[in-house]
Amino acid sequence: MFKLALRTLRQRKGAFLATFVAVFFGALIVSACGGLMESGIRSETPVQRLAAAPIVVGGQQTLKLPEDDPATLDPEDKHKFENGTLAERVRVDAALADRLRAVPGVTNVVGEVSFAAQIGSASALGRAWDSAALTPYSLRGQAPRPGEVVVDAGLGIPVGATLPVAAHGEAGQYRVSGIATAPQPMRDSAVFFSTEDAERLAGHPGKLDTIGVFGGDVAAVTAAVGDAGVVTTGTDRGLLEFPEVDQSGENLIVLAAVSGGLSAMVMVFVVAGTLSLSTQQRQRELALLRAIGTTPRQLRRMVLGEALVVGLLAVGAAIVLGPVLGRWLFDQLAANHVVPDVLRFEQGWLPATVAAGASLLAVVAAAFVAGRRASKVRPTEALAEAAVERRWLTPIRLVTAILCFAGGTALAIVTVAVMTGPVAASTSGPAVMLWAFGLAAISPGVTKVMATLLRWPVQAISGVTGRVALLNTRVVAVRTAGAVTPIMLAVGIATANIYLQTTQEAVSNQAYTEDLRADAVVGSPIGLDPSVVSRVRSVPGVASASEYVTSTVFIEKPFDSNQDKDGWPAVGVSELTGNTITVPDTLGRHVGDTLSLRFGDGTPADVRVGAVEKQRAGFESLVLPAGLLAPHTTLGLAPQLLVRAAPGVDAATLTSRLREATAGLPVQVGDRAVLIAAHAKGNEVGAWVNYLLVGMIIAYTVISVVNTLVMATGKRRREFGLQRLSGFTRGQVLRMAGVEGGLIATIAILLGTATAAGAIVPFCLVVTGSVLPSGPITIYLTVLAIAVVLALVAILVPAWAATRGRAVDATSIGE
């Protein structure tokens, strides 16, 4: 039967190509997503400024439970708590360097501090010159003394020049004493200070970012470090140099898992639909094989053999090109700052194996379903079964539909009853796929029902051609459903995911603007010196000015099991002082309670609840004094100062006065619109990722629907010829095909809209209190237009080609 399968494929190149395309693109996307996931798991980062040190010691970026904590936590909560990622750079005590120098075999120990700096309008990384040995840099000129700097050769600044440099909120003039050249390209341009200047500008006295150890045994160094830090070698050193890679790696894993899983599920339905349609078009051939004595087992083996040959070829091509697509997607994520540009893309054999296995499993399952029905008919009924579609509802379809609808209903109930705020998207997103797959399982029956409901408007608009199109749609419902399903998936996935994203953005922006009382902002990427705060507050027309710091903190005692694994969002403002904290009412704490916190850099602190306030669901945060929170951030200072105008002073006048008052300082002044735009810009990263992945899946379904419709229409040449011989003109045949395309698009749009509504409505009820999403109606209209154009073009072009010749010639062509 395998040889027969090969011969059959040579005679049915159209069906071969259709199945090949469906499997190829599905395996390609799954393989690419597998590469993204592997890159996130590995989180390999090339070592740059620490490249010369064989051993690097740094802070523990993963939160650890304190030893004296009572072991009363639930094991699941404890595991989540201990694996939380600290958002700020965790530093180590400078005294640890002295301890490491005493380790036998250690020849040199070099501590490193790094901090944001500005040279004019250009950004750079400030460092102490003695840490240049960790790269190592070569020097032309002299090492810097206090008041001097050594600059990166790439900056093109000559020795002896006077350079304006700003760091840690202050600006100064420094003489260039030398030029440093790195042995390899570096992400950040460096400016080296004397040890005294670097320690002052780093803003964390007595602390080191990392420690480079030369010589000595790794085990001995690890024993000397103990719980004071972590010891890394090889490529792991890059995680201490760029700690942000660790968190972005986790995000990349989640992103790839969601998109790859979604693509795999869509592939199963698309491949199954393509193979089912191909088999349906061969019913007469399969019926004749049954009539001449072919056993059901032989027939199933033939269909499976054909599918496996096509699947193996498609998977082989996809595995070769998968890393290419994965690399392109990774580059797009890096270019849009979704992942750090220092993270390395890695794709080995495992993603290819998983993609191949998943794709071939989908092919085998689809081939089994496609061949099962034809193989079970009795030979005496075979030809009658081939002539007209009769039974389509199988136990597998029915059970799948029931389970999917039950799951979608359960997720909708959970979304409305349990979820709060934007986190409701975590249940609404999967609900889209469950509703879609449930409808796809019973799509032939749903298609018949929808065609019946649309009978009167179609007949009123299109007349006799519409009546024929309706009959075709209802009689060959399985074939029609094969075209409806992928369009329905595309419409449902696109509409739901895009409007979930736009609604999230709208709610986030609304929550931000509702809480925003500032009319202007003074900001700096190197932090604001406290003297700037005093100067701004003395400007005429300023009613109030507050430092604004953001970070994350963990609540240790009493432990909050509902906090995210990465902690609570924290905001620092000048209105609060001392060790007081304002908490949301959902935390269940009272004024006067004491909370034990762990700041973003791992430092513990006890604070007293000074106020409890009602906050918008999903956007709760802890509010602390800016002076308490800022020192425990990577920057060490407040990056923004929010300013409110006095009564009678407009925003334009306020910003103008602020610019005059801060002239010459390393700060930027903006109005309220700048703040809102910056907040919206932060949301664009998540939106861009969502749109990219949705676009990728939609592109796959578009290819599949074109594939399905072209294959289905191209096989109807004999049918079109008979219609023309019975009195239809070529124009009437094409109009009939156009009505069928319009019916397919309409049915798919209605089902896709219902699918999207099953996810959007519960989500919107939770986050906005409305059943309608936020976002322009043009998004929905664009999705509809694409679906209609897609269906019409995919059915009319092959119909036009199929009716080009003489009608009598077309009737002599076999099915």
Side-chain angles (χ1 to χ4, degrees):
M1 296 305 292
F2 192 73
K3 292 182 179 179
L4 179 60
L6 291 176
R7 292 176 182 175
T8 304
L9 287 176
R10 286 198 295 267
Q11 302 299 321
R12 294 186 173 275
K13 297 182 178 64
F16 167 86
L17 181 61
T19 306
F20 179 90
V21 169
V23 178
F24 169 76
F25 281 101
L28 181 67
I29 294 174
V30 174
S31 176
C33 291
L36 295 180
M37 179 177 287
E38 182 177 353
S39 301
I41 294 173
R42 290 177 179 269
S43 292
E44 290 191 2
T45 307
V47 188
Q48 295 184 6
R49 65 178 189 269
L50 306 176
I55 303 174
V56 176
V57 179
Q60 175 60 265
Q61 290 293 149
T62 301
L63 188 64
K64 294 298 182 182
L65 209 62
E67 292 295 333
D68 60 345
D69 186 85
T72 58
L73 298 183
D74 182 90
E76 183 178 346
D77 290 336
K78 185 174 181 179
H79 175 75
K80 181 178 73 171
F81 185 66
E82 286 189 323
N83 287 273
T85 302
L86 295 167
E88 312 293 344
R89 175 179 279 280
V90 180
R91 296 174 171 85
V92 295
D93 290 331
L96 181 60
D98 296 329
R99 192 193 312 170
L100 291 172
R101 290 187 180 95
V103 175
V106 171
T107 59
N108 191 21
V109 175
V110 179
E112 185 225 20
V113 294
S114 60
F115 48 91
Q118 282 187 305
I119 302 175
S121 59
S123 61
L125 189 69
R127 301 175 64 190
W129 172 248
D130 55 6
S131 66
L134 296 173
T135 306
Y137 279 86
S138 58
L139 175 65
R140 179 167 55 87
Q142 301 295 323
R145 294 174 295 184
E148 295 180 338
V149 291
V150 169
V151 296
D152 199 303
L155 294 174
I157 301 172
V159 174
T162 299
L163 197 64
V165 181
H168 198 62
E170 65 176 73
Q173 299 290 325
Y174 294 82
R175 178 183 174 273
V176 178
S177 65
I179 306 297
T181 303
Q184 61 176 333
M186 308 290 285
R187 185 185 73 170
D188 302 304
S189 298
V191 54
F192 293 96
F193 297 82
S194 65
T195 302
E196 298 84 350
D197 286 343
E199 185 175 355
R200 173 175 52 84
L201 295 174
H204 299 278
K207 296 287 186 179
L208 296 173
D209 289 2
T210 56
I211 302 173
V213 181
F214 297 81
D217 181 66
V218 176
V221 172
T222 302
V225 171
D227 295 332
V230 293
V231 179
T232 61
T233 59
T235 56
D236 290 341
R237 296 171 297 166
L239 292 177
L240 291 182
E241 186 173 342
F242 305 103
E244 67 272 17
V245 169
D246 190 28
Q247 181 62 46
S248 65
E250 293 181 10
N251 296 336
L252 191 59
I253 293 171
V254 175
L255 183 152
V258 172
S259 58
L262 187 61
S263 301
M265 289 189 289
V266 171
M267 177 179 63
V268 169
F269 274 84
V270 171
V271 172
T274 304
L275 280 175
S276 295
L277 179 59
S278 175
T279 305
Q280 179 67 29
Q281 292 177 340
R282 298 170 55 193
Q283 284 292 337
R284 187 174 299 277
E285 170 193 330
L286 299 176
L288 288 172
L289 288 173
R290 288 287 289 120
I292 62 174
T294 304
T295 65
R297 182 179 179 184
Q298 289 175 321
L299 208 58
R300 288 194 298 268
R301 285 174 55 194
M302 185 190 75
V303 174
L304 179 61
E306 293 173 358
L308 279 177
V309 170
V310 178
L312 288 171
L313 292 174
V315 167
I319 295 308
V320 173
L321 296 178
V324 178
L325 177 60
R327 164 66 70 178
W328 181 83
L329 290 172
F330 184 85
D331 290 343
Q332 299 306 306
L333 295 173
N336 287 273
H337 310 292
V338 179
V339 297
D341 54 4
V342 293
L343 184 64
R344 180 182 294 167
F345 176 76
E346 296 285 345
Q347 182 159 353
W349 59 270
L350 188 57
T353 303
V354 173
S359 302
L360 291 178
L361 184 62
V363 170
V364 170
F368 174 78
V369 173
R372 184 170 178 270
R373 178 187 173 203
S375 65
K376 290 187 69 175
V377 298
R378 292 175 297 180
T380 55
E381 298 176 353
L383 294 180
E385 180 70 13
V388 179
E389 295 177 1
R390 292 180 180 175
R391 182 172 175 266
W392 61 268
L393 185 61
T394 63
I396 294 178
R397 283 180 178 268
L398 182 60
V399 171
T400 300
I402 292 174
L403 291 177
C404 287
F405 290 147
T409 303
L411 286 178
I413 294 173
V414 169
T415 300
V416 175
V418 178
M419 296 298 178
T420 59
V423 73
S426 61
T427 51
S428 295
V432 178
M433 300 309 302
L434 289 175
W435 289 115
F437 290 164
L439 286 174
I442 57 172
S443 57
V446 176
T447 299
K448 282 186 178 182
V449 173
M450 295 298 295
T452 301
L453 295 176
L454 294 171
R455 179 180 59 182
W456 296 111
V458 170
Q459 289 181 353
I461 295 173
S462 55
V464 64
T465 56
R467 287 195 293 271
V468 177
L470 281 167
L471 288 173
N472 286 338
T473 302
R474 294 168 60 187
V475 171
V476 289
V478 174
R479 183 182 70 189
T480 305
V484 167
T485 299
I487 299 180
M488 181 263 293
L489 287 173
V491 172
I493 293 173
T495 303
N497 282 276
I498 293 176
Y499 275 117
L500 287 176
Q501 182 64 48
T502 57
T503 303
Q504 280 183 302
E505 290 181 29
V507 172
S508 176
N509 292 334
Q510 182 181 0
Y512 182 76
T513 54
E514 285 177 352
D515 294 337
L516 185 63
R517 300 291 182 266
D519 299 300
V521 59
V522 179
S524 174
I526 61 171
L528 296 172
D529 188 83
S531 63
V532 176
V533 180
S534 301
R535 182 181 298 193
V536 168
R537 285 174 176 165
S538 64
V539 172
V542 172
S544 61
S546 172
E547 294 173 293
Y548 187 76
V549 185
T550 58
S551 184
T552 58
V553 301
F554 288 85
I555 300 178
E556 285 189 349
K557 298 178 184 178
F559 180 73
D560 175 27
S561 61
N562 294 318
Q563 67 184 319
D564 186 80
K565 74 178 185 66
D566 295 321
W568 271 90
V571 175
V573 296
S574 301
E575 286 81 358
L576 297 182
T577 58
N579 281 9
T580 59
I581 184 174
T582 299
V583 300
D585 57 350
T586 55
L587 191 59
R589 301 302 164 199
H590 305 89
V591 174
D593 289 351
T594 298
L595 300 179
S596 294
L597 303 181
R598 184 76 63 166
F599 286 112
D601 64 348
T603 304
D606 289 335
V607 296
R608 184 181 63 84
V609 177
V612 178
E613 65 178 6
K614 185 174 180 60
Q615 299 180 5
R616 191 183 184 100
F619 297 92
E620 298 93 345
S621 62
L622 306 180
V623 184
L624 298 97
L628 177 63
L629 184 62
H632 301 290
T633 62
T634 301
L635 190 59
L637 292 173
Q640 289 182 329
L641 185 65
L642 303 184
V643 185
R644 191 170 186 180
V649 179
D650 59 81
T653 302
L654 178 65
T655 54
S656 177
R657 291 176 181 176
L658 290 174
R659 289 191 179 98
E660 293 176 1
T662 58
L665 298 178
V667 300
Q668 298 84 40
V669 178
D671 57 14
R672 179 184 175 90
V674 172
L675 281 169
I676 296 174
H679 179 266
K681 183 71 175 177
N683 291 332
E684 287 180 5
V685 173
W688 187 89
V689 173
N690 194 20
Y691 296 154
L692 174 66
L693 297 178
V694 169
M696 186 170 61
I697 295 172
I698 290 175
Y700 176 46
T701 56
V702 165
I703 292 170
S704 300
V705 71
V706 171
N707 188 17
T708 301
L709 285 175
V710 169
M711 181 176 66
T713 308
K715 289 293 184 180
R716 298 173 63 187
R717 181 171 299 181
R718 186 170 183 271
E719 173 191 334
F720 293 155
L722 290 172
Q723 288 175 338
R724 291 167 65 189
L725 289 176
S726 64
F728 268 50
T729 65
R730 187 187 182 199
Q732 287 176 315
V733 172
L734 291 177
R735 284 197 295 274
M736 180 202 69
V739 173
E740 288 185 20
L743 269 172
I744 290 172
T746 302
I747 294 172
I749 287 170
L750 292 174
L751 296 180
T753 302
T755 297
I760 291 175
V761 171
F763 176 78
C764 291
L765 286 173
V766 170
V767 299
T768 66
S770 170
V771 296
L772 296 178
S774 300
I777 188 63
T778 52
I779 295 175
Y780 181 63
L781 296 179
T782 301
V783 172
L784 301 193
I786 293 174
V788 172
V789 171
L790 181 66
L792 290 178
V793 171
I795 201 169
L796 283 176
V797 172
W800 176 82
T803 57
R804 289 184 63 187
R806 295 188 306 167
V808 66
D809 293 335
T811 59
S812 63
I813 298 176
E815 294 181 356

PDB file of all heavy atoms in Angstrom, residues 679-695:
ATOM      1  N   HIS A 679       4.072  56.686  29.447  1.00  0.00           N
ATOM      2  CA  HIS A 679       3.365  55.525  30.001  1.00  0.00           C
ATOM      3  C   HIS A 679       2.779  54.675  28.885  1.00  0.00           C
ATOM      4  O   HIS A 679       2.866  53.432  28.917  1.00  0.00           O
ATOM      5  CB  HIS A 679       2.257  55.994  30.937  1.00  0.00           C
ATOM      6  CG  HIS A 679       1.471  54.875  31.541  1.00  0.00           C
ATOM      7  ND1 HIS A 679       0.299  54.393  30.997  1.00  0.00           N
ATOM      8  CD2 HIS A 679       1.702  54.111  32.645  1.00  0.00           C
ATOM      9  CE1 HIS A 679      -0.157  53.410  31.730  1.00  0.00           C
ATOM     10  NE2 HIS A 679       0.665  53.218  32.742  1.00  0.00           N
ATOM     11  N   ALA A 680       2.178  55.330  27.894  1.00  0.00           N
ATOM     12  CA  ALA A 680       1.618  54.589  26.761  1.00  0.00           C
ATOM     13  C   ALA A 680       2.714  53.864  25.985  1.00  0.00           C
ATOM     14  O   ALA A 680       2.503  52.761  25.482  1.00  0.00           O
ATOM     15  CB  ALA A 680       0.860  55.541  25.840  1.00  0.00           C
ATOM     16  N   LYS A 681       3.887  54.475  25.898  1.00  0.00           N
ATOM     17  CA  LYS A 681       5.003  53.855  25.193  1.00  0.00           C
ATOM     18  C   LYS A 681       5.400  52.554  25.866  1.00  0.00           C
ATOM     19  O   LYS A 681       5.748  51.572  25.203  1.00  0.00           O
ATOM     20  CB  LYS A 681       6.193  54.820  25.171  1.00  0.00           C
ATOM     21  CG  LYS A 681       7.396  54.316  24.391  1.00  0.00           C
ATOM     22  CD  LYS A 681       7.123  54.311  22.897  1.00  0.00           C
ATOM     23  CE  LYS A 681       8.374  53.922  22.126  1.00  0.00           C
ATOM     24  NZ  LYS A 681       8.106  53.845  20.660  1.00  0.00           N
ATOM     25  N   GLY A 682       5.336  52.536  27.192  1.00  0.00           N
ATOM     26  CA  GLY A 682       5.659  51.309  27.911  1.00  0.00           C
ATOM     27  C   GLY A 682       4.704  50.181  27.580  1.00  0.00           C
ATOM     28  O   GLY A 682       5.098  49.011  27.555  1.00  0.00           O
ATOM     29  N   ASN A 683       3.441  50.515  27.307  1.00  0.00           N
ATOM     30  CA  ASN A 683       2.464  49.483  26.948  1.00  0.00           C
ATOM     31  C   ASN A 683       2.666  48.965  25.535  1.00  0.00           C
ATOM     32  O   ASN A 683       2.193  47.884  25.188  1.00  0.00           O
ATOM     33  CB  ASN A 683       1.045  50.035  27.066  1.00  0.00           C
ATOM     34  CG  ASN A 683       0.650  50.296  28.508  1.00  0.00           C
ATOM     35  OD1 ASN A 683       1.143  49.641  29.420  1.00  0.00           O
ATOM     36  ND2 ASN A 683      -0.235  51.262  28.726  1.00  0.00           N
ATOM     37  N   GLU A 684       3.347  49.752  24.704  1.00  0.00           N
ATOM     38  CA  GLU A 684       3.502  49.377  23.301  1.00  0.00           C
ATOM     39  C   GLU A 684       4.350  48.125  23.130  1.00  0.00           C
ATOM     40  O   GLU A 684       4.213  47.417  22.144  1.00  0.00           O
ATOM     41  CB  GLU A 684       4.115  50.538  22.514  1.00  0.00           C
ATOM     42  CG  GLU A 684       3.162  51.699  22.286  1.00  0.00           C
ATOM     43  CD  GLU A 684       3.808  52.822  21.496  1.00  0.00           C
ATOM     44  OE1 GLU A 684       4.965  52.635  21.049  1.00  0.00           O
ATOM     45  OE2 GLU A 684       3.170  53.866  21.327  1.00  0.00           O
ATOM     46  N   VAL A 685       5.249  47.875  24.086  1.00  0.00           N
ATOM     47  CA  VAL A 685       6.098  46.688  23.974  1.00  0.00           C
ATOM     48  C   VAL A 685       5.246  45.422  24.008  1.00  0.00           C
ATOM     49  O   VAL A 685       5.345  44.554  23.146  1.00  0.00           O
ATOM     50  CB  VAL A 685       7.151  46.667  25.096  1.00  0.00           C
ATOM     51  CG1 VAL A 685       7.916  45.358  25.086  1.00  0.00           C
ATOM     52  CG2 VAL A 685       8.107  47.837  24.947  1.00  0.00           C
ATOM     53  N   GLY A 686       4.358  45.335  25.035  1.00  0.00           N
ATOM     54  CA  GLY A 686       3.474  44.179  25.110  1.00  0.00           C
ATOM     55  C   GLY A 686       2.532  44.095  23.925  1.00  0.00           C
ATOM     56  O   GLY A 686       2.255  43.010  23.413  1.00  0.00           O
ATOM     57  N   ALA A 687       2.055  45.249  23.469  1.00  0.00           N
ATOM     58  CA  ALA A 687       1.159  45.268  22.312  1.00  0.00           C
ATOM     59  C   ALA A 687       1.870  44.783  21.062  1.00  0.00           C
ATOM     60  O   ALA A 687       1.311  44.025  20.261  1.00  0.00           O
ATOM     61  CB  ALA A 687       0.622  46.683  22.104  1.00  0.00           C
ATOM     62  N   TRP A 688       3.102  45.224  20.900  1.00  0.00           N
ATOM     63  CA  TRP A 688       3.856  44.825  19.702  1.00  0.00           C
ATOM     64  C   TRP A 688       4.056  43.314  19.672  1.00  0.00           C
ATOM     65  O   TRP A 688       3.908  42.680  18.627  1.00  0.00           O
ATOM     66  CB  TRP A 688       5.208  45.535  19.687  1.00  0.00           C
ATOM     67  CG  TRP A 688       5.970  45.320  18.429  1.00  0.00           C
ATOM     68  CD1 TRP A 688       5.922  46.070  17.288  1.00  0.00           C
ATOM     69  CD2 TRP A 688       6.882  44.246  18.154  1.00  0.00           C
ATOM     70  NE1 TRP A 688       6.753  45.544  16.334  1.00  0.00           N
ATOM     71  CE2 TRP A 688       7.362  44.420  16.837  1.00  0.00           C
ATOM     72  CE3 TRP A 688       7.359  43.173  18.898  1.00  0.00           C
ATOM     73  CZ2 TRP A 688       8.278  43.564  16.249  1.00  0.00           C
ATOM     74  CZ3 TRP A 688       8.265  42.301  18.309  1.00  0.00           C
ATOM     75  CH2 TRP A 688       8.724  42.506  17.014  1.00  0.00           C
ATOM     76  N   VAL A 689       4.398  42.732  20.816  1.00  0.00           N
ATOM     77  CA  VAL A 689       4.579  41.285  20.893  1.00  0.00           C
ATOM     78  C   VAL A 689       3.277  40.571  20.538  1.00  0.00           C
ATOM     79  O   VAL A 689       3.257  39.612  19.754  1.00  0.00           O
ATOM     80  CB  VAL A 689       5.039  40.873  22.306  1.00  0.00           C
ATOM     81  CG1 VAL A 689       5.052  39.361  22.447  1.00  0.00           C
ATOM     82  CG2 VAL A 689       6.419  41.438  22.589  1.00  0.00           C
ATOM     83  N   ASN A 690       2.167  41.048  21.098  1.00  0.00           N
ATOM     84  CA  ASN A 690       0.870  40.424  20.845  1.00  0.00           C
ATOM     85  C   ASN A 690       0.520  40.495  19.362  1.00  0.00           C
ATOM     86  O   ASN A 690       0.105  39.510  18.751  1.00  0.00           O
ATOM     87  CB  ASN A 690      -0.202  41.130  21.680  1.00  0.00           C
ATOM     88  CG  ASN A 690      -1.492  40.337  21.737  1.00  0.00           C
ATOM     89  OD1 ASN A 690      -1.504  39.141  21.482  1.00  0.00           O
ATOM     90  ND2 ASN A 690      -2.578  41.013  22.059  1.00  0.00           N
ATOM     91  N   TYR A 691       0.696  41.662  18.762  1.00  0.00           N
ATOM     92  CA  TYR A 691       0.352  41.834  17.357  1.00  0.00           C
ATOM     93  C   TYR A 691       1.247  40.981  16.456  1.00  0.00           C
ATOM     94  O   TYR A 691       0.796  40.437  15.438  1.00  0.00           O
ATOM     95  CB  TYR A 691       0.470  43.297  16.954  1.00  0.00           C
ATOM     96  CG  TYR A 691      -0.500  44.202  17.675  1.00  0.00           C
ATOM     97  CD1 TYR A 691      -0.233  45.556  17.866  1.00  0.00           C
ATOM     98  CD2 TYR A 691      -1.696  43.714  18.192  1.00  0.00           C
ATOM     99  CE1 TYR A 691      -1.120  46.384  18.537  1.00  0.00           C
ATOM    100  CE2 TYR A 691      -2.585  44.522  18.868  1.00  0.00           C
ATOM    101  CZ  TYR A 691      -2.291  45.855  19.038  1.00  0.00           C
ATOM    102  OH  TYR A 691      -3.162  46.671  19.705  1.00  0.00           O
ATOM    103  N   LEU A 692       2.531  40.876  16.811  1.00  0.00           N
ATOM    104  CA  LEU A 692       3.441  40.068  16.003  1.00  0.00           C
ATOM    105  C   LEU A 692       3.018  38.607  15.997  1.00  0.00           C
ATOM    106  O   LEU A 692       2.935  37.967  14.935  1.00  0.00           O
ATOM    107  CB  LEU A 692       4.869  40.199  16.538  1.00  0.00           C
ATOM    108  CG  LEU A 692       5.916  39.291  15.872  1.00  0.00           C
ATOM    109  CD1 LEU A 692       6.112  39.679  14.417  1.00  0.00           C
ATOM    110  CD2 LEU A 692       7.247  39.354  16.620  1.00  0.00           C
ATOM    111  N   LEU A 693       2.734  38.063  17.166  1.00  0.00           N
ATOM    112  CA  LEU A 693       2.378  36.651  17.257  1.00  0.00           C
ATOM    113  C   LEU A 693       1.017  36.382  16.625  1.00  0.00           C
ATOM    114  O   LEU A 693       0.830  35.382  15.927  1.00  0.00           O
ATOM    115  CB  LEU A 693       2.384  36.223  18.721  1.00  0.00           C
ATOM    116  CG  LEU A 693       3.756  36.324  19.407  1.00  0.00           C
ATOM    117  CD1 LEU A 693       3.644  35.920  20.868  1.00  0.00           C
ATOM    118  CD2 LEU A 693       4.778  35.443  18.706  1.00  0.00           C
ATOM    119  N   VAL A 694       0.061  37.283  16.871  1.00  0.00           N
ATOM    120  CA  VAL A 694      -1.256  37.119  16.253  1.00  0.00           C
ATOM    121  C   VAL A 694      -1.123  37.200  14.735  1.00  0.00           C
ATOM    122  O   VAL A 694      -1.726  36.419  13.995  1.00  0.00           O
ATOM    123  CB  VAL A 694      -2.234  38.185  16.768  1.00  0.00           C
ATOM    124  CG1 VAL A 694      -3.508  38.193  15.936  1.00  0.00           C
ATOM    125  CG2 VAL A 694      -2.571  37.922  18.220  1.00  0.00           C
ATOM    126  N   GLY A 695      -0.312  38.153  14.269  1.00  0.00           N
ATOM    127  CA  GLY A 695      -0.109  38.283  12.829  1.00  0.00           C
ATOM    128  C   GLY A 695       0.507  37.041  12.228  1.00  0.00           C
ATOM    129  O   GLY A 695       0.142  36.621  11.115  1.00  0.00           O
TER     130      GLY A 695
END
